[in-house]
Amino acid sequence: MTDQARPVPDIVTAVPGPNARAHVAFDHAWTSPSLPRAYPIVPVRGEGCVIEDVDGNRFLDFAAGIAVNSTGHCHPRVVEAITRQAHELIHFSASDFYLPIYARAAETLARIAPMAPARVFIGNSGAEVVEAGLKLARFHTQRPNVVAFVGAFHGRTYGAVSLTASKAKYHAGFGPLLPGVYHVPFGSAGLDELEARVFTRLMPADEFAAVIVEPIQGEGGYVVPDDAFLPRLRELCDRHGILLIADEVQSGAGRTGRMWAIDHWGVEPDILLTAKGIASGMPVAAMIARSELMTWGPGAHGSTYGGNPVALAALLETVALLEGGLIDNAAVRGEEAMRGLRPLVELYPELVREVRGKGLMIGVRFDSGATAEAVQLQAFERGLLVLEAGDDCVRLCPPLVVTEAEVATAVRIFGEAVAHVAAHRAADIAEVVAEERAGLASETVGG
Ligand code: PLP
């Protein structure tokens, strides 16, 4: 529990404070240097939208562990569900045996899926279910190739990273990647290119198993496509017998004010992937597929830990909370946040290019990556946690329990951070960023 008598944010040391600095040094001695690390927050406890760090600083969390803590930190009902399940049964592989909560979670996920009837494979991480989706699509269609979009992020395992095209560094040094992946621009123009160039000149449409798409791109910068895009993509897939995979790992679980972002366009995918917010931070991911596609047999796919009962207890409680009001809250609070942030475009036209998103999936695009990074760090120093995305964006993705007052505080602090950055020349910003980051974090975030 955090100290509720204290305000939020409440920054009592220079950040990072002495304990955080010491911990960062310790961490750097032992952990893989591949971890991106956006800035030196060292959390020890959380409650709702509040995070307390090792120095006793209280932050307002609009990053939510990379859009994961949908019900807020340590929601009492989620804690209760996890505790209850942990006393009953912690692990019994659902791949090899019949774990009751696994089928119950699958039934729930199939019920909330945009397509019916559906069946479900449960895994542990977004990337794991991207792999599952890829395998099922190839297996079912017996076709080898896949289309993905420029700017997409699908994860870091070999199949998923081959589909990813948000930053070249995710591929650097890892080749050769999975063959048969074709990338086109995100949005309607990409579909023109798919038909006119890829299907006509490179590979016929009937050689493609699937198109994988984030209905709203996440790590690529919270990019909302034009309204024609997803309906046209559905039609194109139907015309060519290609499966449509919606990667809702970041955009799903109520974040955009609907259960799934694709619901905003009334499009039904063939396969839907969920993770992150669906279990409030416990490691659960799921591939939900139209039942008729599940033509693979025993042994074709599985996972030792996938569908861990403690994690699934959190999932069931999370879905109940989402349906019990949090999705509606995301829609209302998202509108308030957008209304509060949009004036920044007029106030700082040289720096702030766009405020975009749906619900509580909000991206602010700046003139450059250096500005985005400087705003992120200024927000951190003022006690607001946000997260960079894409080349030049900052994402705001708070827990769905966020209140009107917390939105107002975040908008105010974000505005102050932008004002501070605007008051410095671009060259100074780069210098300040370099100084602040020295020894504390690496280049850019991802996820
Ligand atoms: N797909 C999307 C849209 C994501 O945003 C992410 C992670 O950020 C992934 C897949 C990979 O998820 P994970 O990091 O759990 O493997």
Side-chain angles (χ1 to χ4, degrees):
M1 291 280 278
T2 66
D3 180 357
Q4 291 177 339
R6 291 176 57 198
V8 183
D10 189 12
I11 301 302
V12 295
T13 68
V15 293
N19 295 334
R21 282 183 185 276
H23 179 77
V24 167
F26 172 69
D27 178 289
H28 282 183
W30 295 105
T31 66
S32 166
S34 64
L35 303 175
R37 302 306 176 59
Y39 46 85
I41 174 83
V42 184
V44 287
R45 63 184 62 84
E47 188 174 6
C49 295
V50 181
I51 277 290
E52 228 171 83
D53 80 353
V54 275
D55 292 290
N57 295 302
R58 278 159 72 79
F59 295 85
L60 185 55
D61 186 5
F62 269 52
I66 326 185
V68 169
N69 297 99
S70 50
T71 57
H73 294 281
C74 303
H75 192 290
R77 276 176 52 185
V78 175
V79 172
E80 197 338 73
I82 289 171
T83 311
R84 205 181 327 119
Q85 182 60 47
H87 282 290
E88 298 279 330
L89 188 67
I90 290 181
H91 171 76
F92 203 96
S93 183
S95 270
D96 284 5
F97 307 101
Y98 290 94
L99 183 63
I101 198 171
Y102 189 98
R104 275 178 48 223
E107 178 195 34
T108 296
L109 289 164
R111 175 179 63 73
I112 63 174
M115 64 286 191
R119 291 180 69 166
V120 180
F121 165 81
I122 302 177
N124 304 279
S125 72
E128 188 185 348
V129 293
V130 168
E131 302 292 340
L134 258 183
K135 284 177 71 177
L136 181 65
R138 273 187 168 179
F139 184 91
H140 180 77
T141 62
Q142 290 295 297
R143 297 175 178 187
N145 301 297
V146 182
V147 175
F149 293 93
V150 175
F153 186 87
H154 297 291
R156 296 175 169 91
T157 49
Y158 258 108
V161 86
S162 303
L163 300 170
T164 291
S166 58
K167 290 178 185 126
K169 68 172 182 177
Y170 296 137
H171 292 171
F174 296 130
L177 302 174
L178 191 73
V181 178
Y182 292 75
H183 284 102
V184 294
F186 184 62
S188 288
L191 300 187
D192 296 338
E193 184 171 324
L194 188 57
E195 300 225 69
R197 189 174 69 87
V198 178
F199 292 167
T200 311
R201 310 224 173 270
L202 298 176
M203 185 67 70
D206 63 7
E207 293 281 321
F208 283 87
V211 175
I212 183 164
V213 66
E214 293 165 90
I216 298 175
Q217 286 190 333
E219 207 267 338
Y222 282 13
V223 187
V224 183
D226 57 280
D227 280 337
F229 172 59
L230 288 161
R232 255 189 81 189
L233 179 57
R234 179 68 272 180
E235 184 279 323
L236 181 148
C237 286
D238 287 342
R239 189 152 33 89
H240 296 295
I242 299 171
L243 300 178
L244 178 57
I245 305 177
D247 180 345
E248 295 256 13
V249 166
Q250 188 146 178
S251 59
R255 173 153 298 284
T256 67
R258 304 272 178 93
M259 183 61 84
W260 310 110
I262 202 164
D263 295 341
H264 288 281
W265 292 276
V267 169
E268 292 182 13
D270 300 300
I271 297 174
L272 185 140
L273 311 176
T274 180
K276 287 195 188 273
I278 200 68
S280 296
M282 293 297 275
V284 182
M287 175 191 64
I288 311 169
R290 288 197 289 112
S291 299
E292 74 207 55
L293 304 179
M294 289 267 192
T295 46
W296 52 13
H301 199 61
S303 165
T304 299
Y305 291 117
N308 170 275
V310 181
L312 290 185
L315 177 140
L316 290 171
E317 203 56 47
T318 300
V319 171
L321 286 162
L322 293 177
E323 292 186 315
L326 293 188
I327 300 178
D328 296 341
N329 192 55
V332 175
R333 299 282 95 86
E335 277 298 313
E336 288 166 5
M338 293 282 255
R339 258 202 313 278
L341 292 167
R342 274 204 197 98
L344 293 175
V345 179
E346 259 112 69
L347 281 170
Y348 306 99
E350 72 290 359
L351 285 190
V352 185
R353 294 287 146 83
E354 194 184 0
V355 175
R356 62 193 179 197
K358 283 192 188 293
L360 291 172
M361 188 172 187
I362 300 172
V364 181
R365 186 166 68 84
F366 292 95
D367 64 314
S368 68
T371 304
E373 190 165 2
V375 170
Q376 174 187 251
L377 288 171
Q378 285 300 324
F380 171 57
E381 287 183 8
R382 288 165 171 73
L384 174 68
L385 306 180
V386 292
L387 193 57
E388 265 185 87
D391 298 330
D392 47 17
C393 278
V394 171
R395 58 187 135 173
L396 292 92
C397 49
L400 277 50
V401 292
V402 71
T403 64
E404 187 176 359
E406 287 168 332
V407 165
T409 302
V411 166
R412 174 179 57 75
I413 297 175
F414 195 81
E416 288 168 10
V418 175
H420 177 93
V421 173
H424 291 69
R425 288 184 304 111
D428 292 344
I429 293 169
E431 218 171 278
V432 170
V433 166
E435 270 171 28
E436 294 198 30
R437 293 186 72 88
L440 292 174
S442 60
E443 263 178 47
T444 46
V445 298

